[in-house]
Amino acid sequence: MSNTFTRRAALLGATAMPIAAEAQSRPRRIVISSANQNRGGVHCCARAMELLKSGADTLDAVIAGVNLVELDPTDHSVGYGGLPNEDGVVELDASCMHGPSRRGGAVGALRNIKTPSRVAKAVMEQTSHMFLAGEGALRFAKAVGFPEEDLLTEEARMAWVAWKKSLKDPSGHNNWTPGLDAPPEKRGAADQKKAQVLRELREMFPHADEEALARAWNYAEHPTHGTINCIALNEKGEMSAVTTTSGMAWKIPGRVGDSPIIGGGLWLDQDVGGAGSTGLGEENLRVCGAHTCIENMRHGMTPKEAALDTLRRVVRNFNADMEKLAQVDLHFYVLRKDGEYCGASLWDRPVPGAPMARLAVAADPGESREEDSVWLFERK
Ligand code: ASP
């Protein structure tokens, strides 16, 4: 399908779109999440389902699921091991909503705590507030017993150093590379930037192998997007949801994305359903995405229609300027109160050549697995 055709089709109606999530049965218990690296979504949904089957509360189930990803040092977009801000400090955002009690909690720009989703739940349960940010969020977390730990892994630090060294001003200068007084062999021409950065990284990280160095450079050039959103429904019709992330790599310290914004990166009303997002938080916030998905369903849309309509509002915000939209990676995950669900993405894949946009699903009975999302546009 050509890009132009897909674009027109998407704007005119949804007739040319693939339908991945049609004809679903109605399971009693179901958990959905974003797919994530290392099959993180599949493991998350499996864990949450295991807990649902044992009779656990839906919020405890989804939080236990995303904890696996928060604690995985090799997922560089969530929790421990996340790529840091521009100062090299990991700052985490998370939110949660508990359907039966209609309560929620959130933390933003939280440092030094590996499981921000659990801190969001503590905000919900142990305070009269809904959202704590920055220094106050850390002090609260410590006060209620969370251990303070360094979240910057060697791999994430190496990627951050590579990024710092790859930047340059209009005259090609970078403070993080050797100065004019350095011996000639230490100074590289601007067009040899990559080789020079890799040489310096080899000196700074003598234990890193070539593969790790190449990965660090790749993160510097193409910082990962990622977050995990997870939503559960149990056999009593109770629902809960959580979203957790390390946010945008190399962000300005203090930047908070959509993930901890209740209504933006997460919304749940168990009379209707739950929704969450991953991708470029700023563009999601301009359409209040998760809330919009749920209100669309409240007014009769299916999960797929609700999510695609929300994505079309993003398209409208750019007046369908495809060059700008090509820079936006955005995904929604929607679970309706009867178990119908959908993963929907602006593009078929986050960047050209990347794997297709997917979601993870664990339905009872059945194994936790990945499925393709539906999408509005196809990358060339
Ligand atoms: N939505 C997250 C944020 O904007 C990042 C992501 O999912 O890639 O912070």
Side-chain angles (χ1 to χ4, degrees), residues 48 51 56-65 67 98 121 125 240:
L51 284 169
D57 178 73
T58 47
L59 185 57
D60 291 333
V62 290
I63 287 184
N67 284 167
H98 183 240
K121 181 170 181 260
E125 287 177 337
S240 290

Side-chain angles (χ1 to χ4, degrees), residues 57 59-60 63 96 98 101 103-106 117-130 140 144 146:
D57 178 73
L59 185 57
D60 291 333
I63 287 184
C96 67
H98 183 240
S101 63
R103 298 165 83 199
S117 62
R118 294 180 55 214
V119 185
K121 181 170 181 260
V123 171
M124 178 187 100
E125 287 177 337
Q126 299 181 41
T127 76
S128 59
H129 305 324
M130 205 163 193
F140 165 75
V144 297
F146 287 87

